[in-house]
Amino acid sequence: NDPDAAISAARRMAAQYILRGVIDTQISRNPLVNVNQVAVRLDFTLTGSNGRTISEASATNASYSGRDVLGMALTLVNERADEVVAKLYSDYCRRTGR
């Protein structure tokens, strides 16, 4: 959970790319229909070892969740993960010529 230490370690290991990301989850109770609901937001940035941004990708998703709030949060992340990865990879290929 120390981004500076992670970047320093990546440089020592001669990493060519660094992927930073945040997955934020908000859980609440909908008072109108009296059910749990969950919303997730995914934000990722792919940078070169020089610190230059190659790609940024974000996605959001939300749903009613019933009793298994964390299970639904994972489902929502999985539903959007492919589009985030596709965006990062597409920009990587376009900008690096691969």
Side-chain angles (χ1 to χ4, degrees):
N1 289 333
D2 183 353
D4 293 331
I7 290 171
S8 176
R11 287 190 178 130
R12 282 193 311 274
M13 298 179 79
Q16 294 179 344
Y17 305 99
I18 298 170
L19 178 63
R20 291 182 292 198
V22 173
I23 300 175
D24 182 44
T25 304
Q26 295 179 350
I27 300 168
S28 61
R29 186 98 178 141
N30 185 312
L32 295 175
V33 291
N34 198 30
V35 295
N36 294 324
Q37 56 190 24
V38 61
V40 296
R41 179 172 176 83
L42 296 82
D43 293 306
F44 290 91
T45 303
L46 178 65
T47 61
S49 59
N50 60 1
R52 188 171 297 181
T53 299
I54 296 170
S55 180
E56 294 178 321
S58 297
T60 60
N61 206 356
S63 178
Y64 294 115
S65 62
R67 290 180 182 249
D68 187 10
V69 177
L70 295 178
M72 179 52 74
L74 180 59
T75 297
L76 295 174
V77 167
N78 287 334
E79 286 177 357
R80 295 290 191 230
D82 288 346
E83 72 187 62
V84 171
V85 170
K87 167 83 168 102
L88 294 169
Y89 186 66
S90 173
D91 289 348
Y92 163 79
C93 290
R94 190 170 9 98
R95 293 190 179 155
T96 63
R98 295 181 187 204

